[in-house]
Amino acid sequence: MIIVDSLTKVYKTGQEHIQALKGVSLNIEDGEFISVIGPSGSGKTTLLNLIGCIDTLDEGTITIDSVTVSKLNDKEQSDYRRHHLGFVFQTYNLIPVFSAFENVAFALHILHVDKKEIVKRTNQILEEVGLKGLEDRRPNTLSGGQQQRISIARALVKKPTLVLADEPTANLDSHTATEIMELMKRMNEHYGTTFIFSTHDPLVMEYANRIVPLHDGLIVDQGVL
Amino acid sequence: MRNLFLLSFKNIFRYTRRTIITASAIAVGMMMYIILDGLLIGAEIESERNMIQYETSHAKIMTKQYAENRLFYDLEYGIQDPDYYIKELHDLGLDATARLLFTGELLFSSSIFEEDGSMEALITAYDPALDATVFDVLGTLTEGRLPLEGREEILLGAWLAEDTYSSVGSFLTILTRGKGGFYEVIDVEVVGIVDPPNPNVSRSLVMIPLDVAQHYLAMEEYATEIDLSIRTKSQQRALNQFQDTLTDSSLLVIPWNELAKDYVALADAKRGASSLILLLVAIIAAVGISNTTLMSVQQRLQEIGMMRALGTKKGMLIGMFMIEAGLIGAMGSLVGLLLGGGINFYFVHYGIDFSSMIRSIDIGYRIQSTLYSAWHPQSFLIAFLFGTLLCSLVAFVATLRSLSLSIPHSLRRNI
């Protein structure tokens, strides 16, 4: 279970102070498939970054499975991310010199998983995301949808507690976006992994079993948006 | 770790042009280092050889008083009965010869009736029978013949002869002072020209038979020094044995490097200056590497952000970039060493002809015409390690800087 309590985040740019989150509280049950929605600048990415321990908060706490991750130091947060969190990025962020297989396996390599186990698990997840036969292809030889599938496979291969996806379909056409959302939903159901993704695409929102609407750094009623 | 190496290796070929530029900067730096280092070592080796064989010998025996004031060439402090010591040294297996050095004014004339000028000179009186066992000067005779014992005949260095318009058959007069301070004039004929590869010797050498000098200077049974040839370890041991048994405590054995302190100091200074040049080469290479490495890291900030988000340890990221830069450095160094080695090979075998430069100026090194390079395997190792480590170090700094950015900041960067 994830407990987000009174999160506040202020960005300081010179003299200007921008309050990205103004005391956001949220409880997420294990296995939920949550969509954080809202216009640009509403704080969606900031919320995901804070839950994902890749940014520092100013006030509040985040607890994941009884671990107050917001209080961990830099190294401990890095360890936590490595073992328990998966990320899917809008721009896929794959390593261009690695093949699809190597990109996915990278997440296991940094966990020092046994080589045989890496091969087994990587092949298995690539098959599940529909990339069997494309293991040796480099990202630049694949479509956007296929690259995002690699990204999802990389996030899931280590069997994380939580996957955070920041606008995973923003760079994809509607057909491919639907395919990716169906894939993520299937993975969520298959592995029981909690998914939190941000979007402002109504088509994508439909797949969520809960929607968290954000506006100006606060959780609001969906009707407000 | 294997994955880290794999990624680093693949990244080398990711930006081929940049890799080539960085490796080239290293290669040029290392090539220059190898060439310069080889030439300097070659110059030192040849200078040392030419000093010992034509100027100082391996060691000299002098009286203590003479040694203390040896730049005055005072005949009052000569070695009495040098043949006694030479025989003793021969018995121990050492080659030795007596020399008598004295200063004088040389009055040159192209014919006996026409005076052409004068100059101060250091004149070397040598033993025609034994000198060649220690020095190689007599072997470089290019014109005429060697002076005969008991005859007022001299040998001149080739450059000195050229500078004073002297040739075989010319006459000159030596105006000097004998033991006790009396004036003496020796009329001599130039019978031979020697051309040793030591420019200092060629520029100033005047040699006269020992018995002639002893007679004119009232130095019968005296020499100012005994020169020794020590080519083997057993000869060095023999010399030590000689020193131990030396009953005359007024005699000193002085090794060549002590006699040539000015040269040794000069060589040290040149080595220091050369190190400075090498440092400059290294700085130029480092600036080139810094730019390309910094660009490489900056261009991959988003990738670094992604890896950090996945939980990659900072040490692993730093290691990845250091290995990548180190591999580029190693490649560049290797190319530089091959190029430098190739050019050095040419210089070792064919050398560089410096004769026109050395003829007019004294560069301190005892090389007359062709400077031959030398092999110095240690420099190859140093250059390789330096090139590799320098690149890794620059990558370390650049990566550390990139890691100071927050992960969201890195992820937003898209150059």
Side-chain angles (χ1 to χ4, degrees):
Chain A
M1 184 173 179
I2 301 162
I3 303 164
V4 175
D5 184 26
S6 313
L7 277 196
T8 302
K9 175 70 183 174
V10 180
Y11 289 111
K12 292 162 191 164
T13 318
Q15 297 291 324
E16 203 179 355
H17 287 200
I18 300 159
Q19 201 164 5
L21 293 178
K22 301 168 181 171
V24 170
S25 295
L26 179 67
N27 284 3
I28 300 162
E29 296 295 332
D30 289 345
E32 278 199 80
F33 198 70
I34 291 183
S35 172
V36 180
I37 61 164
S40 292
S42 59
K44 302 188 297 291
T45 300
T46 304
L47 179 62
L48 260 63
N49 285 348
L50 293 177
I51 295 172
C53 306
I54 60 172
D55 206 353
T56 51
L57 47 81
D58 293 311
E59 279 176 41
T61 54
I62 301 164
T63 309
I64 305 175
D65 292 340
S66 309
V67 178
T68 311
V69 292
S70 54
K71 289 194 175 158
L72 299 177
N73 65 29
D74 197 36
K75 188 186 170 297
E76 288 166 339
Q77 285 192 336
S78 177
D79 290 344
Y80 193 84
R81 288 197 302 271
R82 189 162 58 250
H83 287 96
H84 303 287
L85 304 183
F87 288 88
V88 176
F89 302 97
Q90 182 184 331
T91 51
Y92 329 129
N93 279 345
L94 301 173
I95 300 168
V97 291
F98 269 180
S99 64
F101 180 91
E102 288 165 336
N103 264 289
V104 176
F106 182 80
L108 297 176
H109 275 296
I110 59 174
L111 278 170
H112 304 295
V113 174
D114 175 67
K115 197 181 166 189
K116 277 185 186 167
E117 183 69 12
I118 290 176
V119 174
K120 190 182 141 200
R121 278 162 70 176
T122 304
N123 281 326
Q124 187 189 336
I125 195 80
L126 281 170
E127 191 177 347
E128 283 178 30
V129 299
L131 290 174
K132 194 176 180 203
L134 300 174
E135 296 91 343
D136 296 330
R137 299 271 291 272
R138 284 197 177 186
N140 63 351
T141 65
L142 298 171
S143 69
Q146 286 169 325
Q147 289 187 55
Q148 196 59 299
R149 282 167 191 267
I150 299 174
S151 183
I152 292 166
R154 181 179 63 190
L156 287 167
V157 73
K158 62 184 173 188
K159 296 176 180 157
T161 315
L162 167 68
V163 171
L164 295 144
D166 189 11
E167 308 218 21
T169 58
N171 283 1
L172 304 172
D173 60 71
S174 58
H175 175 69
T176 314
T178 307
E179 279 181 0
I180 289 295
M181 287 315 297
E182 277 171 1
L183 171 67
M184 281 171 53
K185 185 73 183 162
R186 204 165 61 241
M187 294 293 120
N188 161 252
E189 286 164 1
H190 181 67
Y191 288 104
T193 311
T194 309
F195 272 77
I196 306 174
F197 57 95
S198 66
T199 187
H200 42 233
D201 183 351
L203 180 80
V204 172
M205 290 174 215
E206 285 173 16
Y207 286 88
N209 53 21
R210 180 147 68 111
I211 289 173
V212 177
L214 270 180
H215 186 73
D216 282 345
L218 287 168
I219 295 177
V220 293
D221 287 336
Q222 204 172 339
V224 174
L225 299 176
Chain B
M1 196 64 185
R2 193 183 153 272
N3 199 249
L4 188 72
F5 266 111
L6 181 70
L7 184 54
S8 300
F9 188 74
K10 287 190 173 187
N11 276 326
I12 291 173
F13 302 102
R14 184 164 164 187
Y15 304 104
T16 319
R17 192 181 297 172
R18 195 163 51 218
T19 299
I20 291 170
I21 291 169
T22 313
S24 300
I26 298 276
V28 170
M30 293 308 129
M31 182 186 76
M32 285 174 71
Y33 174 80
I34 292 299
I35 295 169
L36 205 59
D37 188 66
L39 286 172
L40 283 172
I41 290 169
E44 278 185 38
I45 291 171
E46 200 161 330
S47 289
E48 194 177 310
R49 189 171 54 228
N50 287 342
M51 281 198 78
I52 291 167
Q53 290 178 350
Y54 301 98
E55 205 173 330
T56 60
S57 73
H58 284 100
K60 287 179 193 290
I61 299 172
M62 297 174 180
T63 63
K64 219 175 255 180
Q65 295 97 322
Y66 187 85
E68 281 166 9
N69 304 289
R70 65 175 178 270
L71 295 178
F72 294 106
Y73 302 98
D74 195 335
L75 298 180
E76 299 299 325
Y77 303 122
I79 303 168
Q80 192 176 7
D81 195 9
D83 291 343
Y84 167 77
Y85 297 107
I86 289 170
K87 188 182 173 307
E88 223 176 277
L89 289 161
H90 281 171
D91 290 345
L92 289 168
L94 285 164
D95 290 321
T97 184
R99 277 186 167 189
L100 193 162
L101 270 60
F102 62 100
T103 55
E105 190 176 359
L106 300 185
L107 307 173
F108 291 93
S109 56
S110 53
S111 77
I112 200 154
F113 305 108
E114 190 185 332
E115 191 176 288
D116 272 337
S118 70
M119 64 175 279
E120 292 295 324
L122 177 67
I123 298 125
T124 305
Y126 72 102
D127 181 345
L130 291 178
D131 204 79
T133 62
V134 176
F135 293 100
D136 290 344
V137 181
L138 304 181
T140 64
L141 186 77
T142 53
E143 278 180 61
R145 59 170 174 80
L146 298 176
L148 299 172
E149 279 186 55
R151 302 269 290 265
E152 285 85 355
E153 295 174 342
I154 59 163
L155 279 178
L156 287 183
W159 288 2
L160 177 64
E162 199 181 314
D163 292 342
T164 57
Y165 306 106
S166 304
S167 56
V168 173
S170 300
F171 287 88
L172 60 88
T173 303
I174 302 169
L175 179 60
T176 184
R177 282 177 174 230
K179 188 180 176 186
F182 64 90
Y183 278 98
E184 186 60 274
V185 174
I186 316 170
D187 288 319
V188 290
E189 182 188 356
V190 178
V191 294
I193 307 287
V194 286
D195 190 13
N198 181 329
N200 279 23
V201 178
S202 185
R203 202 177 270 133
S204 61
L205 185 77
V206 182
M207 287 180 95
I208 188 167
L210 182 64
D211 59 339
V212 176
Q214 284 173 329
H215 169 71
Y216 276 96
L217 303 174
M219 288 284 285
E220 279 92 353
E221 301 298 314
Y222 277 89
T224 54
E225 63 187 46
I226 295 169
D227 295 279
L228 303 164
S229 172
I230 307 155
R231 296 177 200 276
T232 62
K233 282 182 181 169
S234 65
Q235 286 180 321
Q236 182 59 55
R237 279 196 295 272
L239 179 64
N240 295 340
Q241 196 184 332
F242 172 77
Q243 278 179 283
D244 293 340
T245 57
L246 208 56
T247 48
D248 190 345
S249 61
S250 70
L251 293 183
L252 282 179
V253 178
I254 307 172
W256 79 270
N257 48 0
E258 206 171 307
L259 294 161
K261 266 184 181 163
D262 55 336
Y263 164 75
V264 174
L266 190 75
D268 283 345
K270 277 178 193 282
R271 214 173 297 136
S274 310
S275 305
L276 207 67
I277 294 169
L278 294 178
L279 186 70
L280 284 174
V281 169
I283 289 169
I284 293 165
V287 169
I289 302 156
S290 301
N291 277 335
T292 46
T293 310
L294 210 64
M295 256 173 73
S296 171
V297 173
Q298 287 291 318
Q299 206 160 14
R300 278 149 60 189
L301 271 179
Q302 208 175 20
E303 197 174 306
I304 292 171
M306 175 276 290
M307 288 183 181
R308 287 173 68 193
L310 295 191
T312 311
K313 289 176 183 168
K314 282 184 178 179
M316 190 178 165
L317 280 168
I318 292 171
M320 186 183 81
F321 277 96
M322 282 180 78
I323 291 171
E324 185 183 326
L327 285 172
I328 294 173
M331 270 164 46
S333 298
L334 209 61
V335 172
L337 297 186
L338 285 174
L339 289 173
I343 295 169
N344 199 50
F345 177 83
Y346 177 85
F347 288 152
V348 166
H349 291 276
Y350 303 102
I352 311 171
D353 188 0
F354 274 111
S355 52
S356 58
M357 196 176 94
I358 293 172
R359 180 69 182 89
S360 48
I361 55 162
D362 180 7
I363 60 164
Y365 285 124
R366 305 308 202 259
I367 305 152
Q368 187 168 316
S369 54
T370 306
L371 167 58
Y372 290 96
S373 191
W375 291 109
H376 191 218
Q378 204 183 334
S379 299
F380 280 69
L381 187 67
I382 290 170
F384 183 77
L385 291 176
F386 181 80
T388 309
L389 293 177
L390 180 72
C391 285
S392 291
L393 187 71
V394 170
F396 173 76
V397 176
T399 316
L400 212 58
R401 274 183 60 185
S402 77
L403 291 177
S404 64
L405 294 172
S406 70
I407 297 174
H409 191 148
S410 296
L411 285 169
R412 275 197 301 274
R413 290 289 282 271
N414 195 7
I415 297 172

